[in-house]
Amino acid sequence: MSSDALDVFERADTSVVSDAMDDHGIDGVITGLSPAAPTHAAVGRARPLRFERARTEGLTNFPFAMLEAIEPGEVFVLDGADVDISYWGGQASALAASEGMAGTVVDGGYRDVREIQEGGFPVFGRQPTPKSGQGRVRVASTDAPVTVDGVRVEVGDVVVADATGIVVVPAEHETAVAETVEAILADEDSLGTMVAEGADLAEIREAHDRF
């Protein structure tokens, strides 16, 4: 999809994107992952990474194999091996922000909550935990699809995340979904104007299918 279409997703929230996905019969909503701060929001290309438990004692390829996969404009989607382990933290957030990454989604734990909140880099995860992943997990893949909450995530899909939730738009449908998002945004602007001007419910129902 063109950068112009990505701009459309950046102007929308996850509720609008989810509604647009519904119009195309696609369910890409991931639930159960919360932002480290309520203001966190991210839009970018998916970079799925899968983790597994360490097979031997001592250090593994984590976290450096993960950090080496950082690319500007992408959103990490980390498929963790266990929710009680941290796969992301404050230092990783600072490095990712400096490299122009858009955000990180963790199906697992993360730590350094205050540092992440103060730094502003968007992080979403199952739960905070101080338990380090170093020596406990290894990076199994950095370019293979993962499944989070029943949603398949492939390299290059579009991830839209905010305080309401996370939506993954499959790359093959992103142009059509973006066009629908634009239509919904225009409809919501019109609806907002009618409400602000005191239109009654009958007038609103006649003019709009959505509310």
Side-chain angles (χ1 to χ4, degrees), residues 157-179:
D157 288 346
V158 177
V159 179
V160 183
D162 58 26
T164 300
I166 299 166
V167 183
V168 179
V169 183
E172 63 266 32
H173 299 293
E174 59 188 61
T175 299
V177 173
E179 290 172 353

Side-chain angles (χ1 to χ4, degrees), residues 38-116:
T39 56
H40 281 186
V43 176
R45 297 285 181 183
R47 171 60 58 179
L49 282 78
R50 185 174 64 83
F51 293 82
E52 60 186 18
R53 284 280 190 171
R55 299 171 184 173
T56 59
E57 293 185 1
L59 296 178
T60 69
N61 66 349
F62 175 79
F64 292 107
M66 174 184 71
L67 299 176
E68 289 169 353
I70 289 175
E71 292 289 344
E74 291 191 341
V75 176
F76 270 160
V77 181
L78 309 182
D79 181 15
D82 207 329
V83 296
D84 69 344
I85 293 173
S86 171
Y87 302 86
W88 195 259
Q91 295 284 14
S93 290
L95 178 62
S98 71
E99 295 292 333
M101 200 171 193
T104 293
V105 172
V106 188
D107 189 10
Y110 62 94
R111 63 184 192 169
D112 306 328
V113 174
R114 179 177 294 180
E115 189 176 344
I116 289 173

Side-chain angles (χ1 to χ4, degrees), residues 13-15 17-18 28-35 38 40-42 105 124 159-168:
D13 59 25
T14 53
S15 297
V17 178
S18 177
V29 174
I30 294 174
T31 59
L33 304 185
S34 301
H40 281 186
V105 172
F124 303 79
V159 179
V160 183
D162 58 26
T164 300
I166 299 166
V167 183
V168 179

